[in-house]
């Protein structure tokens, strides 16, 4: 049975009377629940996440990175419950954007749109740059990392432009491989654990000259945002609400399952890797600490096989991320939340494949440029700050929605309310205070500029509860008022 598409269309602005002249929409019932869960787990990608951000966490928190991932895991599970409940109330391809707009109003919804467009332009690039970096390490003499990442982005774009069902099966197949990769690595790392390491009781960090000292709370909290970046993606089922089969309860459950799997697998991998560290100073200073650990616990041949799987896993994550970000841009444009020409361009899908072609092309141009000109570390830290800013908006929306919209049906209700959103808000705020001022200034500056711009245009935006007035809806209403078919 198709997922309550009538209710979705009312919420998201895609509804149209029969024969109303609406342009093609996303393909309904194109994905089974398993396909949606596979895309979500691919977007999180435990393998990608651990290999992408472990070095950043080890550098700032030392062996205390295990505490950073544990704290981040608790926040991620609390956020997953917020996404699941509010996503069941406001199902739409807009996901987080729709949640914030319907709960907090179009101005804050607009801020979320801008942040998501920014994420769409940097997160996929960061993942593919990392993938090409690992690939380069496997090739004698290396490869031009930026240009290889650009080539990967072109392939991701080609797959994104096809029908969603085949792309989901590709993502699922690569997901099986990457889960095997991270579980094998975890097993080898635990088998080579060192009794000299005590990350839970005596976390330590390597300072100048390799001197090992204790790490304080500030260092641990600084690594929480990279950890949250590692868990990010469990909300991805929401972005395929208009293309999924099943009941309205299926997608919220997929959000929670994806978060549970990600937290369990990633925390286990981080604990295993940290216990396997032989020389903290040398490992933290290495450009790819997990690659170093893999060589130590698996040998050169085993590490080569492992890193080959990491390259595939990261490409899979880039594909899943691109699919979701394109649908956010499409939903925002369709709802009239972007400037007129942009809305008309991004708010349409191709008649054949029924995917948002213009939004996908936009993501290719932005990510392709960053693949060539940006550093990996800059992309990771900045992306993490933007992600947790979106988390803050969604957590507040979960509180407001439960109180103000309590009469609306909820296919999923979070347990222990209001603890999850309050915990998420507190964790996100504390973590943000420990980030680099430059990243905070840019991210919050973008959010403030978006807030001002949407506030000035408030009278031309769709209402909090109502759908956007897209051009075809306006034409249909005018035609009906004149007594002729639209």
């Amino acid at each position: 049975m198709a997922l309550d598409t009538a209710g979705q269309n009312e919420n998201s602005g895609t509804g149209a009377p029969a024969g109303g002249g609406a342009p093609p929409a996303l393909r309904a019932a194109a994905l089974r629940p398993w396909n949606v869960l596979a895309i979500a787990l691919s977007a999180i990608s435990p393998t990608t996440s651990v290999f992408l951000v472990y070095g950043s966490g080890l550098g700032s928190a030392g062996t205390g990175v295990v505490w950073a991932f544990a704290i981040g895991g608790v926040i991620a599970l609390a956020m997953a419950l917020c996404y699941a409940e509010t996503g069941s109330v406001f199902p739409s391809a807009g996901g987080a954007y729709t949640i914030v707009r319907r709960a907090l109003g179009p101005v804050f919804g607009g801020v979320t749109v801008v942040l998501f467009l920014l994420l769409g332009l940097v997160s996929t690039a960061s993942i593919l740059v990392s993938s090409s970096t690992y690939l380069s390490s496997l090739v004698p003499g290396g490869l031009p990392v930026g240009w290889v990442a650009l080539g990967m982005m072109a392939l991701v774009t080609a797959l994104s432009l096809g029908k969603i069902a085949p792309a989901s099966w590709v993502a699922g197949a690569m997901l099986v491989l990457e889960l095997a990769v991270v579980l094998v690595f975890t097993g080898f790392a635990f088998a080579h654990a060192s009794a000299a390491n005590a990350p839970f009781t005596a976390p330590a960090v390597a300072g100048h000259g390799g001197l090992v000292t204790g790490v304080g709370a500030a260092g641990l909290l600084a690594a929480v945002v990279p950890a949250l970046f590692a868990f990010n993606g469990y909300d991805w089922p929401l972005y395929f609400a208009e293309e999924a089969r099943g009941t309205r309860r299926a997608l919220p459950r997929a959000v929670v399952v994806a978060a549970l799997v990600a937290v369990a697998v990633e925390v286990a991998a981080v604990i295993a890797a940290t216990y396997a560290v032989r020389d903290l100073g040398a490992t933290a200073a290495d450009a790819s600490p997990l690659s170093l650990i893999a060589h130590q616990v698996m040998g050169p041949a085993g590490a080569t096989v492992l890193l080959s799987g990491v390259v595939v896993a990261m490409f899979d994550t880039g594909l899943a991320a691109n699919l979701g970000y394109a649908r956010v841009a499409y939903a925002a444009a369709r709802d009239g939340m972007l400037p007129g020409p942009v809305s008309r361009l991004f708010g349409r899908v191709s008649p054949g494949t029924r995917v948002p072609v213009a939004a996908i092309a936009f993501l290719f141009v932005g990510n392709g440029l960053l693949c060539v000109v940006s550093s990996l570390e800059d992309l990771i830290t900045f992306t993490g700050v933007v992600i947790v800013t979106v988390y803050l908006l969604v957590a507040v929306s979960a509180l407001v929605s439960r109180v103000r919209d309590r009469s609306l049906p909820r296919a999923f209700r979070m347990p222990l309310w209001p603890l999850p959103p309050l915990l998420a808000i507190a964790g996100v705020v504390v973590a943000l205070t420990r980030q680099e001022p430059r990243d905070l200034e840019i991210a919050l500056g973008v959010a403030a500029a978006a807030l001002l711009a949407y506030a000035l245009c408030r009278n031309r935006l769709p209402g909090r509860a109502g759908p956007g007035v897209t051009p075809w809806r306006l034409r249909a209403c005018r035609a009906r008022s004149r007594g002729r078919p639209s």
Side-chain angles (χ1 to χ4, degrees):
M1 182 177 72
L3 172 68
D4 195 13
T5 53
Q8 290 174 11
N9 289 342
E10 179 183 350
N11 284 338
S12 60
T14 60
L26 298 172
R27 191 180 300 277
L31 297 172
R32 299 177 184 275
W34 186 92
N35 298 104
V36 175
L37 181 60
I39 292 175
L41 287 173
S42 297
I44 303 171
S45 182
T47 307
T48 296
S49 300
V50 172
F51 277 79
L52 189 63
V53 307
Y54 183 78
S56 177
L58 190 67
S60 61
T63 59
V65 67
V66 297
W67 278 110
F69 266 75
I71 294 169
V74 172
I75 296 174
L77 291 175
M79 281 302 312
L81 294 175
C82 296
Y83 273 110
E85 177 170 311
T86 50
S88 74
V89 180
F90 309 122
S92 165
Y97 139 69
T98 302
I99 288 170
V100 175
R101 188 194 122 207
R102 296 296 303 273
L104 304 182
V107 173
F108 284 101
V111 173
T112 310
V113 168
V114 172
L115 293 177
F116 253 91
L117 290 177
L118 184 59
L119 282 175
L121 291 178
V122 300
S123 62
T124 307
S126 68
I127 293 165
L128 296 182
V129 168
S130 183
S131 179
S132 62
T133 300
Y134 279 108
L135 179 60
S136 178
S137 71
L138 297 174
V139 177
L143 294 169
V145 170
W147 292 105
V148 172
L150 178 60
M152 290 182 175
M153 188 65 210
L155 183 54
V156 162
T157 301
L159 290 170
S160 300
L161 289 171
K163 292 182 179 179
I164 183 61
S168 72
W169 283 106
V170 171
M174 289 190 285
L175 173 66
V176 173
L177 173 62
E178 71 162 281
L179 286 176
V181 166
V182 72
L183 292 176
V184 167
F185 170 77
T186 301
F188 271 92
F190 269 129
H192 292 79
S194 171
N197 294 326
F200 286 105
T201 56
V205 64
H208 295 293
L211 180 65
V212 176
T213 60
V215 59
L220 297 181
L221 292 173
V224 170
V225 165
L228 288 174
F229 174 70
F231 295 125
N232 186 58
Y234 45 82
D235 56 320
W236 242 234
L238 304 180
Y239 304 101
F240 302 92
E242 296 170 33
E243 299 165 274
R245 305 178 190 179
T247 65
R248 288 180 65 163
R249 188 173 296 179
L251 295 185
R253 285 177 173 174
V255 171
V256 176
V257 170
L260 287 170
V261 171
V263 169
V265 173
E266 291 183 34
V267 170
V270 167
I271 292 173
T274 305
Y275 271 104
V277 170
R278 296 179 182 177
D279 184 329
L280 180 57
T283 305
D286 195 274
S288 178
L290 283 189
S291 177
L292 174 63
I293 295 172
H295 278 84
Q296 292 171 346
V297 303
M298 302 178 69
T304 298
V305 174
L306 176 76
L307 295 179
S308 298
V310 170
V311 171
V312 174
M314 290 183 173
F315 176 83
D316 189 25
T317 306
L319 172 60
N322 208 58
L323 294 171
Y325 286 124
R327 279 149 181 81
V328 176
Y330 160 77
R334 179 194 61 196
D335 294 349
M337 291 293 294
L338 298 176
V342 179
S343 284
R344 289 190 290 273
L345 182 64
F346 285 5
R348 292 182 177 274
V349 301
S350 64
T353 58
R354 307 278 283 276
V355 298
V357 174
I360 292 170
F362 168 74
L363 293 174
F364 169 72
V365 173
N367 282 287
L369 180 62
L370 286 178
C371 282
V372 177
V373 303
S374 292
S375 72
L376 177 61
E377 184 64 24
D378 288 342
L379 290 174
I380 291 175
T381 56
F382 174 69
T383 301
V385 171
V386 177
I387 286 171
V388 296
T389 304
V390 173
Y391 285 175
L392 182 61
L393 290 168
V394 173
V396 173
S397 297
L399 283 173
V400 173
S401 174
R402 174 70 80 92
V403 174
R404 185 172 58 190
D405 301 320
R406 56 184 176 273
S407 62
L408 296 179
R410 295 173 188 271
F412 179 93
R413 298 179 73 88
M414 73 177 78
L416 303 177
W417 188 89
L419 182 59
L422 292 177
L423 180 62
I425 291 170
V428 163
V429 170
V430 172
L432 280 175
T433 63
R434 301 297 177 179
Q435 300 314 298
E436 290 292 333
R438 186 197 63 173
D439 293 331
L440 285 173
E441 289 168 2
I442 296 174
L444 298 182
V446 170
L451 183 68
L452 176 61
Y454 277 95
L456 292 175
C457 300
R458 175 63 186 86
N459 292 335
R460 290 158 34 184
L461 297 176
R464 181 184 74 86
V469 181
T470 52
W472 68 262
R473 286 178 64 90
L474 186 59
R475 289 196 300 270
C477 291
R478 287 173 176 169
R480 285 197 302 274
S481 68
R482 295 169 184 166
R484 66 171 185 264
S486 57

